[in-house]
Amino acid sequence: MNTRLPRVTPLTLKSKDALALSALLMKPRNAQACFVFAHGAGAGMTHPFMEDVAAKLYGHGIATLRFQFPFMEKSSKRPDTPAVAHAAIRLAVADARRRCRGMPIIAGGKSFGGRRTSQAQAEDPIEDVRGLAFVGFPLHPTGKPSITRAEHLAGIRIPMLFIQGTRDKLAEPVLLRQVCKGLRSRATSHLIDGADHGFHIPARSGRTDQDVVAEIALTISQWVERLES
């Protein structure tokens, strides 16, 4: 494991369509892969959870490229439309390919960011992306169990990793298992006992939120190793 302090490189991602997004690259020496890590709807790329997961992945030799969706750049509370979000994801992946040449590229993210990435991949496969990693996939609204939000996943032909808390009110575990079963060998799921959608865990569990972050990073790292084998 890499024990050096993570080096964070601020970036500005620009496209010919005038889209410009802030981003942060953490690239350890001899990185084995790069994870384009999209944030959720309620907080941006510098949220402590995003920072902590990225730092732990750095320790496992995985680079991360975090970026701001346009709505977060504008400090808006209204998330971007799918088309706008998909364009931002494709821009971030293209930049990761340039900066992490020769490495496998993984895309995905927390909640909204993961779902929008999967939609983009299903609509038109993103160049050079080897797999998708979802950290809290928002399978359905709170109190409205359903798997309709997962229907597009059937069109994805690359491996997918679902990391989910057992107390996540946006993804009933039984429904997530149903979705993964339908995706067959393309899907891998990892349930974190007691964690909610924000991956917070009750103090009575004897574990801390940082323990959960460490488990998330280890799970992603081990999954990436299997992709490479």
Side-chain angles (χ1 to χ4, degrees):
M1 180 180 288
N2 192 331
T3 58
R4 296 189 178 203
L5 290 176
R7 177 183 174 186
V8 184
T9 304
L11 306 171
T12 300
L13 312 183
K14 296 181 179 180
S15 75
K16 48 190 176 181
D17 299 322
L19 184 64
L21 304 174
S22 301
L24 297 169
L25 176 68
M26 291 169 60
K27 183 181 175 184
R29 188 173 298 176
N30 300 321
Q32 60 178 309
C34 180
F35 180 28
V36 179
F37 190 19
H39 64 75
M45 66 181 181
T46 60
H47 186 274
F49 177 81
M50 298 287 293
E51 292 183 338
D52 290 346
V53 172
K56 289 293 186 184
L57 286 171
Y58 184 99
H60 286 288
I62 296 179
T64 54
L65 192 148
R66 289 174 280 151
F67 64 96
Q68 297 281 67
F69 282 110
F71 80 96
M72 194 61 68
E73 289 278 62
K74 297 181 289 188
S75 299
S76 171
K77 292 184 178 180
R78 185 174 183 177
D80 299 312
T81 63
V84 171
H86 296 173
I89 291 161
R90 293 181 189 280
L91 176 62
V93 170
D95 193 83
R97 284 202 309 269
R98 289 193 295 271
R99 297 178 189 276
C100 299
R101 291 187 185 279
M103 296 181 203
I105 302 295
I106 307 302
K110 177 71 179 75
S111 194
F112 168 88
R115 182 179 175 222
R116 287 290 184 249
T117 302
S118 67
Q119 290 173 334
Q121 179 69 21
E123 183 179 89
D124 183 17
I126 306 170
E127 186 179 354
D128 291 334
V129 169
R130 290 277 301 278
L132 303 180
F134 309 121
V135 185
F137 189 88
L139 191 57
H140 53 73
T142 301
K144 297 180 179 180
S146 170
I147 61 171
T148 56
R149 285 184 176 179
E151 289 175 350
H152 67 283
L153 299 177
I156 295 174
R157 297 296 172 226
I158 58 176
M160 290 168 270
L161 172 66
F162 296 81
I163 301 176
Q164 214 84 26
T166 58
R167 292 192 304 119
D168 189 339
K169 294 183 178 179
L170 275 67
E172 294 285 345
V174 66
L175 294 181
L176 181 65
R177 284 194 292 270
Q178 181 181 336
V179 168
C180 290
K181 183 177 180 181
L183 295 171
R184 299 186 179 183
S185 62
R186 285 168 289 155
T188 300
S189 65
H190 181 87
L191 295 179
I192 298 181
D193 189 37
D196 63 13
H197 189 65
F199 291 94
H200 301 298
I201 198 163
R204 65 178 181 275
S205 70
R207 303 180 72 202
T208 67
D209 288 356
Q210 283 301 307
D211 291 333
V212 171
V213 167
E215 184 175 342
I216 291 169
L218 178 61
T219 300
I220 294 173
S221 173
Q222 292 176 336
W223 177 74
V224 167
E225 287 178 4
R226 291 195 295 272
L227 287 182
E228 295 180 315
S229 62

Short mmCIF file of all heavy atoms in Angstrom, two decimals, residues 95-155:
data_model
loop_
_atom_site.label_atom_id
_atom_site.label_comp_id
_atom_site.label_asym_id
_atom_site.label_seq_id
_atom_site.Cartn_x
_atom_site.Cartn_y
_atom_site.Cartn_z
N ASP A 95 -10.30 13.37 -20.24
CA ASP A 95 -9.13 13.98 -19.59
C ASP A 95 -8.34 12.92 -18.83
O ASP A 95 -7.11 12.92 -18.85
CB ASP A 95 -9.58 15.09 -18.64
CG ASP A 95 -8.42 15.96 -18.20
OD1 ASP A 95 -8.06 16.88 -18.94
OD2 ASP A 95 -7.85 15.68 -17.12
N ALA A 96 -9.04 12.01 -18.16
CA ALA A 96 -8.36 10.94 -17.44
C ALA A 96 -7.54 10.07 -18.38
O ALA A 96 -6.43 9.63 -18.04
CB ALA A 96 -9.39 10.10 -16.68
N ARG A 97 -8.08 9.80 -19.56
CA ARG A 97 -7.34 9.00 -20.54
C ARG A 97 -6.01 9.66 -20.90
O ARG A 97 -4.99 9.00 -21.05
CB ARG A 97 -8.17 8.79 -21.81
CG ARG A 97 -9.28 7.79 -21.69
CD ARG A 97 -9.70 7.26 -23.06
NE ARG A 97 -9.96 8.34 -24.02
CZ ARG A 97 -11.14 8.91 -24.22
NH1 ARG A 97 -12.19 8.51 -23.51
NH2 ARG A 97 -11.30 9.85 -25.11
N ARG A 98 -6.04 10.99 -21.05
CA ARG A 98 -4.82 11.72 -21.43
C ARG A 98 -3.80 11.71 -20.29
O ARG A 98 -2.60 11.59 -20.52
CB ARG A 98 -5.16 13.16 -21.81
CG ARG A 98 -5.89 13.29 -23.14
CD ARG A 98 -5.91 14.73 -23.61
NE ARG A 98 -6.68 15.59 -22.69
CZ ARG A 98 -7.98 15.80 -22.80
NH1 ARG A 98 -8.68 15.20 -23.76
NH2 ARG A 98 -8.59 16.61 -21.95
N ARG A 99 -4.28 11.89 -19.08
CA ARG A 99 -3.37 12.03 -17.94
C ARG A 99 -2.94 10.69 -17.34
O ARG A 99 -1.96 10.65 -16.58
CB ARG A 99 -4.03 12.90 -16.86
CG ARG A 99 -4.32 14.31 -17.33
CD ARG A 99 -5.01 15.15 -16.27
NE ARG A 99 -5.46 16.42 -16.81
CZ ARG A 99 -4.71 17.50 -16.94
NH1 ARG A 99 -3.44 17.46 -16.53
NH2 ARG A 99 -5.19 18.62 -17.44
N CYS A 100 -3.65 9.65 -17.64
CA CYS A 100 -3.35 8.33 -17.07
C CYS A 100 -3.20 7.31 -18.20
O CYS A 100 -3.84 6.26 -18.20
CB CYS A 100 -4.45 7.91 -16.10
SG CYS A 100 -4.65 9.02 -14.69
N ARG A 101 -2.37 7.64 -19.16
CA ARG A 101 -2.19 6.79 -20.34
C ARG A 101 -1.72 5.39 -19.95
O ARG A 101 -0.85 5.23 -19.11
CB ARG A 101 -1.17 7.42 -21.29
CG ARG A 101 -1.67 8.69 -21.96
CD ARG A 101 -0.69 9.17 -23.02
NE ARG A 101 -1.11 10.45 -23.58
CZ ARG A 101 -2.03 10.59 -24.52
NH1 ARG A 101 -2.63 9.53 -25.01
NH2 ARG A 101 -2.35 11.80 -24.97
N GLY A 102 -2.34 4.41 -20.59
CA GLY A 102 -1.95 3.04 -20.35
C GLY A 102 -2.64 2.38 -19.18
O GLY A 102 -2.51 1.17 -18.99
N MET A 103 -3.35 3.16 -18.38
CA MET A 103 -4.04 2.59 -17.22
C MET A 103 -5.47 2.23 -17.58
O MET A 103 -6.10 2.92 -18.39
CB MET A 103 -4.12 3.62 -16.08
CG MET A 103 -2.83 4.05 -15.49
SD MET A 103 -3.18 5.22 -14.14
CE MET A 103 -1.61 6.08 -14.08
N PRO A 104 -6.02 1.19 -16.94
CA PRO A 104 -7.46 0.95 -17.08
C PRO A 104 -8.23 2.13 -16.50
O PRO A 104 -7.85 2.66 -15.45
CB PRO A 104 -7.68 -0.32 -16.24
CG PRO A 104 -6.34 -0.94 -16.09
CD PRO A 104 -5.36 0.18 -16.10
N ILE A 105 -9.28 2.54 -17.17
CA ILE A 105 -10.13 3.63 -16.68
C ILE A 105 -11.43 3.04 -16.15
O ILE A 105 -12.12 2.29 -16.84
CB ILE A 105 -10.44 4.65 -17.81
CG1 ILE A 105 -9.15 5.22 -18.39
CG2 ILE A 105 -11.35 5.76 -17.28
CD1 ILE A 105 -8.34 6.05 -17.43
N ILE A 106 -11.75 3.40 -14.91
CA ILE A 106 -13.00 3.02 -14.28
C ILE A 106 -13.82 4.30 -14.12
O ILE A 106 -13.28 5.35 -13.78
CB ILE A 106 -12.75 2.40 -12.89
CG1 ILE A 106 -11.74 1.25 -12.98
CG2 ILE A 106 -14.06 1.93 -12.27
CD1 ILE A 106 -12.12 0.14 -13.90
N ALA A 107 -15.10 4.23 -14.36
CA ALA A 107 -15.95 5.41 -14.18
C ALA A 107 -17.09 5.07 -13.22
O ALA A 107 -17.39 3.90 -12.99
CB ALA A 107 -16.52 5.88 -15.53
N GLY A 108 -17.71 6.10 -12.69
CA GLY A 108 -18.82 5.88 -11.76
C GLY A 108 -18.86 6.97 -10.73
O GLY A 108 -18.44 8.10 -10.99
N GLY A 109 -19.37 6.65 -9.54
CA GLY A 109 -19.40 7.67 -8.52
C GLY A 109 -20.42 7.43 -7.45
O GLY A 109 -21.01 6.35 -7.33
N LYS A 110 -20.62 8.48 -6.67
CA LYS A 110 -21.54 8.45 -5.54
C LYS A 110 -22.94 8.78 -6.00
O LYS A 110 -23.16 9.82 -6.61
CB LYS A 110 -21.06 9.47 -4.48
CG LYS A 110 -21.97 9.61 -3.27
CD LYS A 110 -21.89 8.39 -2.38
CE LYS A 110 -22.77 8.53 -1.13
NZ LYS A 110 -24.20 8.38 -1.41
N SER A 111 -23.89 7.91 -5.73
CA SER A 111 -25.32 8.16 -5.93
C SER A 111 -25.63 8.73 -7.32
O SER A 111 -25.46 8.06 -8.33
CB SER A 111 -25.83 9.09 -4.82
OG SER A 111 -27.23 9.12 -4.78
N PHE A 112 -26.07 10.00 -7.39
CA PHE A 112 -26.40 10.67 -8.65
C PHE A 112 -25.28 10.52 -9.68
O PHE A 112 -25.53 10.24 -10.86
CB PHE A 112 -26.68 12.15 -8.36
CG PHE A 112 -26.76 13.04 -9.56
CD1 PHE A 112 -27.96 13.22 -10.23
CD2 PHE A 112 -25.64 13.74 -10.00
CE1 PHE A 112 -28.03 14.07 -11.34
CE2 PHE A 112 -25.70 14.58 -11.10
CZ PHE A 112 -26.91 14.75 -11.77
N GLY A 113 -24.03 10.71 -9.24
CA GLY A 113 -22.91 10.62 -10.16
C GLY A 113 -22.75 9.24 -10.77
O GLY A 113 -22.45 9.10 -11.95
N GLY A 114 -22.98 8.21 -9.96
CA GLY A 114 -22.91 6.85 -10.48
C GLY A 114 -24.04 6.54 -11.44
O GLY A 114 -23.83 5.91 -12.48
N ARG A 115 -25.24 6.98 -11.08
CA ARG A 115 -26.40 6.70 -11.94
C ARG A 115 -26.26 7.42 -13.29
O ARG A 115 -26.53 6.82 -14.34
CB ARG A 115 -27.68 7.15 -11.25
CG ARG A 115 -28.95 6.85 -12.05
CD ARG A 115 -30.18 7.29 -11.30
NE ARG A 115 -31.38 7.11 -12.12
CZ ARG A 115 -32.36 7.97 -12.19
NH1 ARG A 115 -32.33 9.10 -11.51
NH2 ARG A 115 -33.41 7.74 -12.96
N ARG A 116 -25.84 8.66 -13.28
CA ARG A 116 -25.67 9.39 -14.54
C ARG A 116 -24.56 8.74 -15.39
O ARG A 116 -24.66 8.69 -16.62
CB ARG A 116 -25.35 10.86 -14.27
CG ARG A 116 -26.54 11.67 -13.78
CD ARG A 116 -27.56 11.86 -14.88
NE ARG A 116 -28.67 12.70 -14.48
CZ ARG A 116 -29.92 12.29 -14.30
NH1 ARG A 116 -30.22 11.00 -14.49
NH2 ARG A 116 -30.86 13.12 -13.95
N THR A 117 -23.52 8.22 -14.75
CA THR A 117 -22.46 7.55 -15.49
C THR A 117 -22.99 6.29 -16.16
O THR A 117 -22.68 6.00 -17.32
CB THR A 117 -21.29 7.21 -14.57
OG1 THR A 117 -20.79 8.41 -13.95
CG2 THR A 117 -20.16 6.56 -15.35
N SER A 118 -23.81 5.54 -15.44
CA SER A 118 -24.37 4.32 -16.03
C SER A 118 -25.30 4.64 -17.18
O SER A 118 -25.32 3.93 -18.20
CB SER A 118 -25.11 3.50 -14.96
OG SER A 118 -26.27 4.17 -14.49
N GLN A 119 -26.06 5.72 -17.06
CA GLN A 119 -26.95 6.13 -18.16
C GLN A 119 -26.14 6.51 -19.40
O GLN A 119 -26.50 6.14 -20.52
CB GLN A 119 -27.81 7.31 -17.72
CG GLN A 119 -28.87 6.97 -16.69
CD GLN A 119 -29.58 8.20 -16.17
OE1 GLN A 119 -29.03 9.30 -16.18
NE2 GLN A 119 -30.80 8.02 -15.71
N ALA A 120 -25.05 7.24 -19.18
CA ALA A 120 -24.19 7.64 -20.31
C ALA A 120 -23.60 6.41 -20.99
O ALA A 120 -23.57 6.31 -22.23
CB ALA A 120 -23.08 8.56 -19.82
N GLN A 121 -23.16 5.44 -20.19
CA GLN A 121 -22.57 4.22 -20.74
C GLN A 121 -23.59 3.40 -21.51
O GLN A 121 -23.28 2.83 -22.57
CB GLN A 121 -21.96 3.39 -19.61
CG GLN A 121 -21.33 2.10 -20.04
CD GLN A 121 -20.06 2.27 -20.86
OE1 GLN A 121 -19.43 3.32 -20.79
NE2 GLN A 121 -19.70 1.27 -21.63
N ALA A 122 -24.82 3.34 -20.99
CA ALA A 122 -25.87 2.57 -21.67
C ALA A 122 -26.28 3.24 -22.98
O ALA A 122 -26.59 2.57 -23.97
CB ALA A 122 -27.08 2.42 -20.75
N GLU A 123 -26.29 4.57 -22.99
CA GLU A 123 -26.72 5.32 -24.17
C GLU A 123 -25.70 5.20 -25.30
O GLU A 123 -26.06 5.00 -26.46
CB GLU A 123 -26.88 6.79 -23.77
CG GLU A 123 -27.38 7.70 -24.87
CD GLU A 123 -27.52 9.13 -24.36
OE1 GLU A 123 -26.53 9.90 -24.44
OE2 GLU A 123 -28.61 9.48 -23.87
N ASP A 124 -24.41 5.32 -24.95
CA ASP A 124 -23.34 5.25 -25.94
C ASP A 124 -22.05 4.93 -25.18
O ASP A 124 -21.55 5.79 -24.45
CB ASP A 124 -23.20 6.58 -26.69
CG ASP A 124 -22.16 6.54 -27.78
OD1 ASP A 124 -21.75 5.42 -28.19
OD2 ASP A 124 -21.73 7.62 -28.22
N PRO A 125 -21.52 3.71 -25.29
CA PRO A 125 -20.36 3.32 -24.49
C PRO A 125 -19.25 4.38 -24.49
O PRO A 125 -18.86 4.90 -25.54
CB PRO A 125 -19.91 2.02 -25.15
CG PRO A 125 -21.18 1.43 -25.68
CD PRO A 125 -21.98 2.62 -26.18
N ILE A 126 -18.75 4.67 -23.29
CA ILE A 126 -17.71 5.68 -23.12
C ILE A 126 -16.36 5.05 -23.49
O ILE A 126 -16.01 3.98 -22.98
CB ILE A 126 -17.68 6.21 -21.67
CG1 ILE A 126 -19.06 6.70 -21.26
CG2 ILE A 126 -16.67 7.34 -21.53
CD1 ILE A 126 -19.20 7.01 -19.78
N GLU A 127 -15.63 5.70 -24.34
CA GLU A 127 -14.39 5.16 -24.87
C GLU A 127 -13.41 4.76 -23.77
O GLU A 127 -13.12 5.55 -22.86
CB GLU A 127 -13.72 6.18 -25.80
CG GLU A 127 -12.49 5.66 -26.51
CD GLU A 127 -11.88 6.68 -27.45
OE1 GLU A 127 -12.47 7.76 -27.63
OE2 GLU A 127 -10.79 6.39 -27.98
N ASP A 128 -12.90 3.55 -23.86
CA ASP A 128 -11.83 3.02 -23.01
C ASP A 128 -12.23 2.76 -21.56
O ASP A 128 -11.36 2.43 -20.74
CB ASP A 128 -10.60 3.94 -23.03
CG ASP A 128 -9.89 3.92 -24.37
OD1 ASP A 128 -10.02 2.91 -25.10
OD2 ASP A 128 -9.24 4.91 -24.71
N VAL A 129 -13.49 2.90 -21.20
CA VAL A 129 -13.89 2.60 -19.82
C VAL A 129 -14.01 1.09 -19.65
O VAL A 129 -14.75 0.43 -20.38
CB VAL A 129 -15.21 3.31 -19.46
CG1 VAL A 129 -15.77 2.78 -18.14
CG2 VAL A 129 -15.00 4.81 -19.38
N ARG A 130 -13.27 0.54 -18.67
CA ARG A 130 -13.22 -0.90 -18.46
C ARG A 130 -14.32 -1.41 -17.53
O ARG A 130 -14.67 -2.59 -17.56
CB ARG A 130 -11.86 -1.29 -17.88
CG ARG A 130 -10.71 -1.13 -18.86
CD ARG A 130 -10.59 -2.34 -19.76
NE ARG A 130 -10.39 -3.56 -18.99
CZ ARG A 130 -9.21 -3.97 -18.50
NH1 ARG A 130 -8.12 -3.24 -18.72
NH2 ARG A 130 -9.13 -5.09 -17.83
N GLY A 131 -14.81 -0.56 -16.65
CA GLY A 131 -15.82 -0.97 -15.69
C GLY A 131 -16.45 0.23 -15.03
O GLY A 131 -15.94 1.35 -15.11
N LEU A 132 -17.59 0.00 -14.37
CA LEU A 132 -18.31 1.05 -13.66
C LEU A 132 -18.40 0.69 -12.18
O LEU A 132 -18.76 -0.45 -11.85
CB LEU A 132 -19.73 1.22 -14.22
CG LEU A 132 -19.87 1.54 -15.70
CD1 LEU A 132 -21.36 1.67 -16.07
CD2 LEU A 132 -19.13 2.82 -16.07
N ALA A 133 -18.10 1.64 -11.31
CA ALA A 133 -18.17 1.41 -9.87
C ALA A 133 -19.18 2.39 -9.27
O ALA A 133 -19.03 3.62 -9.42
CB ALA A 133 -16.80 1.59 -9.22
N PHE A 134 -20.19 1.86 -8.61
CA PHE A 134 -21.25 2.67 -8.01
C PHE A 134 -21.13 2.63 -6.49
O PHE A 134 -21.14 1.56 -5.88
CB PHE A 134 -22.63 2.13 -8.42
CG PHE A 134 -22.79 1.93 -9.90
CD1 PHE A 134 -23.10 0.67 -10.42
CD2 PHE A 134 -22.62 2.98 -10.78
CE1 PHE A 134 -23.25 0.47 -11.78
CE2 PHE A 134 -22.77 2.79 -12.15
CZ PHE A 134 -23.09 1.54 -12.65
N VAL A 135 -21.05 3.81 -5.89
CA VAL A 135 -20.96 3.92 -4.44
C VAL A 135 -22.29 4.48 -3.95
O VAL A 135 -22.51 5.68 -3.91
CB VAL A 135 -19.78 4.83 -4.03
CG1 VAL A 135 -19.62 4.84 -2.51
CG2 VAL A 135 -18.48 4.36 -4.69
N GLY A 136 -23.21 3.58 -3.64
CA GLY A 136 -24.56 3.99 -3.24
C GLY A 136 -25.42 4.29 -4.45
O GLY A 136 -25.84 5.43 -4.66
N PHE A 137 -25.71 3.27 -5.26
CA PHE A 137 -26.55 3.48 -6.45
C PHE A 137 -27.97 3.81 -6.00
O PHE A 137 -28.57 3.06 -5.23
CB PHE A 137 -26.56 2.23 -7.33
CG PHE A 137 -27.20 2.41 -8.67
CD1 PHE A 137 -26.45 2.85 -9.75
CD2 PHE A 137 -28.56 2.18 -8.85
CE1 PHE A 137 -27.04 3.04 -11.00
CE2 PHE A 137 -29.15 2.37 -10.10
CZ PHE A 137 -28.40 2.81 -11.17
N PRO A 138 -28.55 4.92 -6.48
CA PRO A 138 -29.91 5.32 -6.06
C PRO A 138 -30.97 4.54 -6.85
O PRO A 138 -31.51 5.02 -7.84
CB PRO A 138 -29.94 6.82 -6.38
CG PRO A 138 -29.04 6.95 -7.57
CD PRO A 138 -27.95 5.91 -7.39
N LEU A 139 -31.27 3.36 -6.38
CA LEU A 139 -32.14 2.45 -7.11
C LEU A 139 -33.58 2.93 -7.18
O LEU A 139 -34.29 2.68 -8.16
CB LEU A 139 -32.08 1.07 -6.45
CG LEU A 139 -32.70 -0.11 -7.18
CD1 LEU A 139 -32.09 -0.29 -8.56
CD2 LEU A 139 -32.51 -1.39 -6.36
N HIS A 140 -34.03 3.65 -6.16
CA HIS A 140 -35.41 4.13 -6.13
C HIS A 140 -35.52 5.28 -5.13
O HIS A 140 -34.65 5.46 -4.27
CB HIS A 140 -36.37 3.00 -5.73
CG HIS A 140 -35.99 2.31 -4.46
ND1 HIS A 140 -36.14 2.88 -3.21
CD2 HIS A 140 -35.44 1.08 -4.22
CE1 HIS A 140 -35.72 2.06 -2.27
NE2 HIS A 140 -35.27 0.96 -2.86
N PRO A 141 -36.58 6.11 -5.21
CA PRO A 141 -36.77 7.16 -4.21
C PRO A 141 -37.06 6.55 -2.83
O PRO A 141 -37.51 5.40 -2.73
CB PRO A 141 -38.00 7.92 -4.73
CG PRO A 141 -38.13 7.53 -6.17
CD PRO A 141 -37.60 6.14 -6.26
N THR A 142 -36.81 7.32 -1.79
CA THR A 142 -37.10 6.86 -0.44
C THR A 142 -38.58 6.51 -0.30
O THR A 142 -39.46 7.29 -0.68
CB THR A 142 -36.75 7.96 0.59
OG1 THR A 142 -35.36 8.27 0.47
CG2 THR A 142 -37.02 7.48 2.01
N GLY A 143 -38.84 5.33 0.22
CA GLY A 143 -40.21 4.89 0.45
C GLY A 143 -40.96 4.41 -0.77
O GLY A 143 -42.15 4.09 -0.68
N LYS A 144 -40.28 4.33 -1.92
CA LYS A 144 -40.94 3.89 -3.15
C LYS A 144 -40.10 2.79 -3.82
O LYS A 144 -39.53 3.00 -4.90
CB LYS A 144 -41.15 5.06 -4.10
CG LYS A 144 -42.06 6.15 -3.55
CD LYS A 144 -42.24 7.28 -4.54
CE LYS A 144 -43.17 8.36 -4.00
NZ LYS A 144 -43.35 9.48 -4.96
N PRO A 145 -40.03 1.62 -3.19
CA PRO A 145 -39.19 0.54 -3.74
C PRO A 145 -39.56 0.18 -5.18
O PRO A 145 -40.72 0.00 -5.50
CB PRO A 145 -39.47 -0.63 -2.79
CG PRO A 145 -39.94 0.01 -1.52
CD PRO A 145 -40.71 1.22 -1.96
N SER A 146 -38.54 0.09 -6.02
CA SER A 146 -38.75 -0.20 -7.44
C SER A 146 -37.39 -0.50 -8.07
O SER A 146 -36.35 -0.13 -7.52
CB SER A 146 -39.40 0.99 -8.13
OG SER A 146 -39.39 0.83 -9.54
N ILE A 147 -37.39 -1.13 -9.22
CA ILE A 147 -36.14 -1.35 -9.94
C ILE A 147 -36.17 -0.69 -11.33
O ILE A 147 -35.32 -0.96 -12.17
CB ILE A 147 -35.81 -2.84 -10.07
CG1 ILE A 147 -36.89 -3.59 -10.85
CG2 ILE A 147 -35.57 -3.47 -8.70
CD1 ILE A 147 -36.50 -5.03 -11.19
N THR A 148 -37.14 0.19 -11.56
CA THR A 148 -37.25 0.81 -12.88
C THR A 148 -36.02 1.67 -13.20
O THR A 148 -35.64 1.79 -14.37
CB THR A 148 -38.52 1.66 -12.98
OG1 THR A 148 -38.54 2.63 -11.93
CG2 THR A 148 -39.76 0.80 -12.89
N ARG A 149 -35.40 2.28 -12.18
CA ARG A 149 -34.22 3.09 -12.44
C ARG A 149 -33.03 2.26 -12.92
O ARG A 149 -32.03 2.81 -13.39
CB ARG A 149 -33.81 3.86 -11.18
CG ARG A 149 -34.69 5.05 -10.85
CD ARG A 149 -34.12 5.78 -9.65
NE ARG A 149 -34.85 6.99 -9.32
CZ ARG A 149 -34.54 7.79 -8.30
NH1 ARG A 149 -33.51 7.48 -7.52
NH2 ARG A 149 -35.25 8.87 -8.05
N ALA A 150 -33.13 0.96 -12.76
CA ALA A 150 -32.02 0.07 -13.15
C ALA A 150 -32.22 -0.57 -14.52
O ALA A 150 -31.36 -1.31 -14.98
CB ALA A 150 -31.84 -1.01 -12.09
N GLU A 151 -33.33 -0.27 -15.17
CA GLU A 151 -33.63 -0.95 -16.43
C GLU A 151 -32.55 -0.72 -17.49
O GLU A 151 -32.24 -1.62 -18.27
CB GLU A 151 -35.00 -0.50 -16.94
CG GLU A 151 -36.17 -1.03 -16.12
CD GLU A 151 -37.51 -0.49 -16.56
OE1 GLU A 151 -37.52 0.46 -17.40
OE2 GLU A 151 -38.54 -0.99 -16.07
N HIS A 152 -31.96 0.48 -17.49
CA HIS A 152 -30.95 0.79 -18.51
C HIS A 152 -29.68 -0.02 -18.33
O HIS A 152 -28.88 -0.18 -19.26
CB HIS A 152 -30.62 2.28 -18.51
CG HIS A 152 -29.91 2.73 -17.25
ND1 HIS A 152 -30.58 2.94 -16.07
CD2 HIS A 152 -28.60 2.99 -17.01
CE1 HIS A 152 -29.72 3.33 -15.15
NE2 HIS A 152 -28.51 3.37 -15.69
N LEU A 153 -29.45 -0.57 -17.14
CA LEU A 153 -28.22 -1.31 -16.88
C LEU A 153 -28.10 -2.56 -17.75
O LEU A 153 -27.00 -3.04 -18.01
CB LEU A 153 -28.15 -1.71 -15.40
CG LEU A 153 -28.14 -0.57 -14.38
CD1 LEU A 153 -28.15 -1.13 -12.96
CD2 LEU A 153 -26.94 0.35 -14.59
N ALA A 154 -29.23 -3.08 -18.20
CA ALA A 154 -29.21 -4.28 -19.05
C ALA A 154 -28.47 -4.04 -20.36
O ALA A 154 -27.97 -4.99 -20.98
CB ALA A 154 -30.64 -4.73 -19.34
N GLY A 155 -28.37 -2.78 -20.78
CA GLY A 155 -27.68 -2.47 -22.02
C GLY A 155 -26.19 -2.24 -21.87
O GLY A 155 -25.50 -1.97 -22.85
#
